[in-house]
Amino acid sequence: MRSLISFCLLATVFAAVSAKMQNVTVTGITVCQKKRQANVKVELWDRDTLDPNDLLSTIYTTSEGEFTITGGEDEVGKIEPFIRITHSCHANKGCQRVGDYVVPQDKIDGIYDMTYVTLDIIVHKEKEKCS
């Protein structure tokens, strides 16, 4: 029993020591029907396998639909960042569409420029939330 506790303690210490801070910055412009979309919610998340995903940062687009969001996480392996955008472009009345966009792994510790994010397009596994 002592050896199991010692092993778990040693593994925890090793994981804490080997974790490193990883950051990512994502920029873009949200558009719907070729018009820039103001006040769109943009969240930066880190996808986790064994525990709930980590919210790294939340912002809203400017009056011109522009956003720059930055976040970081201490992880042993590579972070798996993604952007979650909540908007009402082509949503049913009283509802909002929620879509996730993967951030490429080669953009970790760098900048990912999404340029124009066309909200007209339904993304894979998109959801609609209604109040």
Side-chain angles (χ1 to χ4, degrees), residues 12-118:
T12 302
V13 169
F14 176 75
V17 170
S18 63
K20 84 173 200 186
M21 178 57 84
Q22 300 169 64
N23 298 291
V24 67
T25 298
V26 182
T27 64
I29 302 168
T30 56
V31 294
C32 177
Q33 297 180 339
K34 299 181 183 179
K35 295 179 184 169
R36 293 176 179 222
Q37 297 297 293
N39 208 35
V40 171
K41 185 178 183 181
V42 180
E43 298 170 312
L44 178 59
W45 289 83
D46 173 33
R47 189 175 316 283
D48 288 327
T49 306
L50 301 176
D51 58 347
N53 295 335
D54 301 315
L55 177 62
L56 306 179
S57 187
T58 302
I59 60 158
Y60 289 84
T61 59
T62 67
S63 61
E64 292 295 315
E66 300 169 351
F67 68 90
T68 298
I69 189 166
T70 300
E73 180 82 348
D74 253 342
E75 288 276 341
V76 174
K78 285 200 169 213
I79 61 172
E80 296 180 40
F82 66 95
I83 294 293
R84 176 166 290 156
I85 300 180
T86 304
H87 60 91
S88 57
C89 177
H90 300 298
N92 290 318
K93 188 173 183 168
C95 300
Q96 289 191 308
R97 292 172 44 207
V98 181
D100 292 348
Y101 302 80
V102 175
V103 176
Q105 286 286 304
D106 65 342
K107 300 303 180 182
I108 295 172
D109 292 327
I111 299 172
Y112 177 43
D113 183 4
M114 295 180 74
T115 314
Y116 289 101
V117 182
T118 307

